[in-house]
Every structure is written in C-alpha cells, then in structure tokens.
Amino acid sequence: MLTGVIAGAVFTSPAVGSILAAIRAVAQAGTVGTLLIVKNYTGDRLNFGLAREQARAEGIPVEMVVIGDDSAFTVLKKAGRRGLCGTVLIHKVAGALAEAGVGLEEITNRVSAVAKAMGTLGVSLSSCSIPGSRPTFELSPDEVELGLGIHGEAGVRRIKMASANEIVTLMLDHMTDSANVSRVPVQSGSSVVLMVNNLGGLSFLELGIIADAAVRTLEGRGVKIARALVGTFMSALEMPGISLTLLLVDEPLLKLIDAETTASAWPNVAKVSVTGRKRSRAAPAEPLEAPVSPVAGGLTSKRVMLVLERVCTTLLGLEEHLNALDRASGDGDCGTTHSRAARAIQGWLKEGPPPASPARLLSKLSLLLLEKMGGSSGALYGLFLTAAAQPLKAKTDLPAWCAAMDAGLEAMQKYGKAAPGDRTMLDSLWAAGQELQAWKSPGANLFQVLTKAVQSAEAAAEATKNMEAGAGRASYISSARLDQPDPGAVAAAAVLRAVLEALQGQGV
C-alpha cells in the first residue's frame, strides 16, 4: 500500500518540511516517482502542494491527487468534498498499481478516476475528545450526528436515535439520492465494494450489526456487494460512530482491491462476492411432539392461559426490582432476562391456545424459554421443564405433579451443579418441592399443600440473603457484599405465587 506516511499534530496537517523530507527519502530509495495522496482539507492541500513544488524544483518527479469522497453535502461549496475513509481504498489501488510496475502518470490518472466513483458518509453518537480541548459538538441522548468529518467536526444535520436498520437505510438513501450533488451513482445492478469503518469507539459486535444491515439493505435494492471490508480503517480518536463507503467496481478494479499486501491492518477477506453467498437466519427445528396419552387430563387451555398470563404480568412487574438485586451479585440483568421470557410467552399465547396436556405444555414452554429467554436462567428453566414433563406423560394426578417437581429439581442439580443452600433459584424451588411431597399421600388437598409450598419458597428466597453463594456468578463476589436476597430465588418464588393465585382465582 503506502511506501511512507507523514504525521502531523492531532487533526493538523503535517509541516512542509516533514513532507519534503519524506519525498526525498522515497526518492533516495530509487523510486521512479512519488504520488502524494492527500485528503481534501485546506491545510493538507497547501502543505502537500508546496512540498510537491519544492520537490519538483529539485528534479524529483512528484504527482498529487486530492481525494474528496464525502457524500454528506447536497450542495457543494467552493472547498469541495472532504476526504474521508474512501481514501484508504485509493491507497490500496495506487499501491497495487505501483507494485505491478505501472507508471506514475498512469497511476495518477487511474486513481483520480476511481476517486470519482465512490462516496462516504459518517454517523456518530457523539463527538470525540481532542486532547486538551472540549468536544466540538454536543448531542442529546436521543440524537445522532449525520455527515460528520474525521476531525470531530459537526455533520450536516442531526437525526433522532433509531435502530441500526433505520440508520443504515437513511445513510444509504442520502448517499445515493439523485438530488445530492455529492452522491455515489449506485443503482440496482451496480457492483460495489462496501467499507464499514469504525470511527474509533465501537466494538466489533456493533460493527457487525451495521455491516449486516448495510449488506441486506443494499442487496434488497439489487446492488451486488463484491467485497465487504469491516474494521477500523480511518478513526477519529475514540468517536463512537461509523462511516459507510461505497466504491463502484468492475473486475479489473476488483483485482487491485484483492491484490496481496503486507499492510497488517488490511483485512484478509475472501476474494469472492458477498452477494450470492448462502446466508440464513433459520429458527431451530422443534422436535416432534409425543402423542397425548389417553389418560393425560389436566387443565383446560383457557385455564392454562390465565395462569401463564398471571405469571407473565408478575415477572414484568418485577423487572426493575430483580435487576436491582442482581447488580450486587451479577450483571444486573436478571429482571430483564425474566421479562424477556414473559414477553416471549405472551407472544406465544397470542398465536393460539396453549396445549391442555401438561406434558406438552411444559415441553412447549421449555423450547420457548431455551430459545428466547437466554442466560443461565433460560437454560435452567428449560432443563427443569423438560425433565418435569416426562412424569406427566402417563398421569396427571397430584403424585405425578410431585414426581414432575422432583424430576425438574434433579435435572437442575445435575447440570447446574447447584445444591440447596448455594444461594440460587434452586433454594426456592427445593423448599417448595419438599412441601409438595405431601401430594403423594392419599387424600392430599391441592391448595393446602400448594399454599405451604409457596410460603416455603418465599421464606427460602428471603433466607438467601444470609447465605454465601456456592454456585453461579454470585459465587465470585465477596459474601460481605451479598446482603440482599438472590434475584433468581425471588423470581422463582414469585412464579409459584402467581400460579397459586391464578388457580385460586379460578376455583380449580
């Protein structure tokens, strides 16, 4: 790619003397000429231009291209388009041509043509922090800056915070709008190189989300993405934002983009088109349901729905409380995780009545929570429900429900490695399970036993605040800091309380 680079102070053009020294160093190495690749800013044009004139006066063959790939401005001013991340693609093309032995004048002409076939647009959540200075602009928490430069300067307008898909769609609309004089002439059938550039403060996860949105949006418009380059190519210190670059390409130009380079930061991407690769977001296949046993009775679908709705309402109401409890011993998302489960169940209930068969019901809930709930809670509840469903396939009387509780608890202990007294959700469920043993006796009363089970579960949950964590994320925390009940145990007890109250309300 580049043979040399000249650095100035932060966001400042390098001095003429430094530029001239670099030109002389390259010339002394035996090159046939030097091409200066300059981003379109006044200071850069002046300093590089003056260095070029001085070098030519010394007999050194020097050419200069000024890159302006900014697609932010709908009306061009005298200064022209700013040089942004697309300049890196010019570095790549020029370097590949030079390596191939192409002459200086031809390289200059070809990269000048390439520069006219690309555009870049940036968006950011805030400015960057220039050392020793205040931010160059301020944004409200619900605002995003569109069309900003790489030196912390403000953009062309501010937009409301939106999803990644919406932001990317807005950016691509702006970049390709026929009313925009700085647009990229990309249309259906075009072949492009897409560059998703980190302006400094985003994670690879966030870049991947933006890249996915850009690829899908462009392909939805009939644009072929020949290559997708994702990474940090031209940052603005720690600015939390991204820029998108589109370069129209044909096969000869693509070969230059693909040319081998020893530049360590250049991504090692597959030299095949992104468009056309098989990509899918397939949902996991559900296993075939076991046939309903002829002796499997149980609640009606309507009663099941009322119970589940009560559980969901309870968990949604506890979201902030559970998150607050979890901040002391985990990452503060226990309430959010349980609310995610509640919303998944609510969505499932809208699709149709739940199965009345207890075994099928628990199996369905297990699959739903394993897919939608997430975290260790999702896995543990999934295990519990999967195991609990097995004894209910043949019978659904009270002893069978007691056996279901025992099977669920056994599975949780086997795979979760927790035991009663370890300050986890198992403490609540185990206490309830001990009370449910009374259902094995002839003539046991449903509500008397279930009420005692719920009370025991709530007492066990409260008692966890005096326990030292023996399993789970809380086990890494000093016991001196654990002075609140375990959020998982509180949530489990609340679920049991919701089931009891829903059944009592129906007079089951």
Side-chain angles (χ1 to χ4, degrees), residues 97-110:
L97 289 170
E99 191 71 17
V102 177
L104 178 59
E105 184 178 351
E106 184 180 348
I107 294 176
T108 304
N109 293 335
R110 289 181 66 174

Side-chain angles (χ1 to χ4, degrees), residues 216-237:
R216 293 180 184 278
T217 301
L218 287 168
E219 289 183 338
R221 299 179 181 187
V223 177
K224 177 184 177 183
I225 302 170
R227 301 288 184 273
L229 310 174
V230 183
T232 304
F233 301 100
M234 188 173 289
S235 60
L237 299 179

Side-chain angles (χ1 to χ4, degrees), residues 294-314:
V295 295
L299 302 173
T300 65
S301 291
K302 182 178 180 180
R303 285 175 172 174
V304 169
M305 185 174 292
L306 291 173
V307 171
L308 291 177
E309 286 176 347
R310 183 64 170 264
V311 170
C312 292
T313 302
T314 299

Side-chain angles (χ1 to χ4, degrees), residues 421-487:
D422 280 345
R423 199 181 191 277
T424 69
M425 69 165 73
L426 182 67
D427 288 298
S428 294
L429 295 173
W430 179 266
Q434 298 310 295
E435 297 294 341
L436 295 185
Q437 298 300 313
W439 277 347
K440 294 180 179 179
S441 302
N445 182 275
L446 168 66
F447 283 118
Q448 286 180 355
V449 174
L450 188 55
T451 299
K452 290 185 66 176
V454 171
Q455 292 171 346
S456 294
E458 291 172 337
E462 183 64 20
T464 58
K465 67 181 181 181
N466 301 316
M467 296 178 183
E468 182 172 347
R473 189 171 285 150
S475 62
Y476 302 107
I477 308 296
S478 169
S479 58
R481 290 177 51 193
L482 300 177
D483 56 358
Q484 296 292 324
D486 177 72

Side-chain angles (χ1 to χ4, degrees), residues 7-95:
V10 176
F11 295 159
T12 304
S13 175
V16 173
S18 298
I19 301 169
L20 188 58
I23 296 173
R24 287 169 177 161
V26 170
Q28 289 170 3
T31 60
V32 296
T34 300
L35 175 64
L36 303 178
I37 302 173
V38 181
K39 290 180 285 295
N40 187 30
Y41 295 96
T42 302
D44 291 296
R45 290 198 314 270
L46 290 172
N47 288 330
F48 276 88
L50 182 53
R52 176 200 179 204
E53 294 302 321
Q54 291 182 356
R56 294 180 74 171
E58 296 176 11
I60 302 174
V62 180
E63 296 293 343
M64 184 170 107
V65 291
V66 179
I67 308 302
D69 58 314
D70 188 4
S71 291
F73 297 98
T74 56
V75 178
L76 283 185
K77 299 181 180 180
K78 189 174 182 180
R81 301 165 69 182
R82 296 172 295 191
L84 301 177
C85 187
T87 310
V88 177
L89 293 174
I90 299 301
H91 295 165
K92 185 67 175 64
V93 171

Side-chain angles (χ1 to χ4, degrees), residues 66 251 266 277 341 428 431:
V66 179
E251 283 304 315
W266 186 258
R277 295 188 206 173
S428 294

Side-chain angles (χ1 to χ4, degrees), residues 174-492:
H174 188 92
M175 294 174 71
T176 59
D177 187 353
S178 59
N180 181 358
V181 296
S182 62
R183 70 183 182 279
V184 193
V186 172
Q187 55 192 358
S188 179
S190 296
S191 181
V192 302
V193 167
L194 166 68
M195 179 177 276
V196 181
N197 172 55
N198 183 7
L199 288 174
L202 296 187
S203 66
F204 276 109
L205 172 63
E206 291 161 315
L207 287 180
I209 292 170
I210 294 293
D212 175 74
V215 167
R216 293 180 184 278
T217 301
L218 287 168
E219 289 183 338
R221 299 179 181 187
V223 177
K224 177 184 177 183
I225 302 170
R227 301 288 184 273
L229 310 174
V230 183
T232 304
F233 301 100
M234 188 173 289
S235 60
L237 299 179
E238 88 299 7
M239 183 181 286
I242 58 103
S243 66
L244 298 179
T245 299
L246 296 176
L247 169 63
L248 288 162
V249 292
D250 54 17
E251 283 304 315
L253 180 54
L254 204 53
K255 288 182 179 179
L256 297 174
I257 298 292
D258 287 341
E260 295 295 328
T261 175
T262 56
S264 59
W266 186 258
N268 182 26
V269 299
K271 295 177 175 58
V272 294
S273 175
V274 174
T275 299
R277 295 188 206 173
K278 186 176 181 180
R279 297 188 301 275
S280 65
R281 288 177 172 174
E286 292 189 9
L288 294 175
E289 292 184 4
V292 181
S293 169
V295 295
L299 302 173
T300 65
S301 291
K302 182 178 180 180
R303 285 175 172 174
V304 169
M305 185 174 292
L306 291 173
V307 171
L308 291 177
E309 286 176 347
R310 183 64 170 264
V311 170
C312 292
T313 302
T314 299
L315 291 178
L316 290 171
L318 284 173
E319 180 173 3
E320 289 305 318
H321 177 59
L322 294 176
N323 280 342
L325 292 177
D326 194 32
R327 290 188 192 102
S329 58
D331 50 5
D333 69 346
C334 182
T336 303
T337 301
H338 282 78
S339 290
R340 189 160 54 240
R343 293 189 182 94
I345 293 172
Q346 287 177 331
W348 175 57
L349 292 176
K350 290 178 181 178
E351 296 174 1
S357 160
R360 283 190 175 185
L361 174 66
L362 298 190
S363 295
K364 279 285 189 181
L365 287 172
S366 171
L367 290 171
L368 187 67
L369 297 186
L370 287 170
E371 180 182 351
K372 301 293 186 180
M373 187 175 185
S376 57
S377 296
L380 288 169
Y381 278 119
L383 277 168
F384 178 88
L385 293 170
T386 298
Q390 306 313 308
L392 296 171
K393 287 182 176 181
K395 294 183 179 182
T396 59
D397 54 10
L398 291 182
W401 279 100
C402 179
M405 186 70 165
D406 291 342
L409 291 170
E410 182 182 353
M412 289 181 73
Q413 291 182 86
K414 179 179 180 180
Y415 295 102
K417 297 299 182 183
D422 280 345
R423 199 181 191 277
T424 69
M425 69 165 73
L426 182 67
D427 288 298
S428 294
L429 295 173
W430 179 266
Q434 298 310 295
E435 297 294 341
L436 295 185
Q437 298 300 313
W439 277 347
K440 294 180 179 179
S441 302
N445 182 275
L446 168 66
F447 283 118
Q448 286 180 355
V449 174
L450 188 55
T451 299
K452 290 185 66 176
V454 171
Q455 292 171 346
S456 294
E458 291 172 337
E462 183 64 20
T464 58
K465 67 181 181 181
N466 301 316
M467 296 178 183
E468 182 172 347
R473 189 171 285 150
S475 62
Y476 302 107
I477 308 296
S478 169
S479 58
R481 290 177 51 193
L482 300 177
D483 56 358
Q484 296 292 324
D486 177 72
V490 171

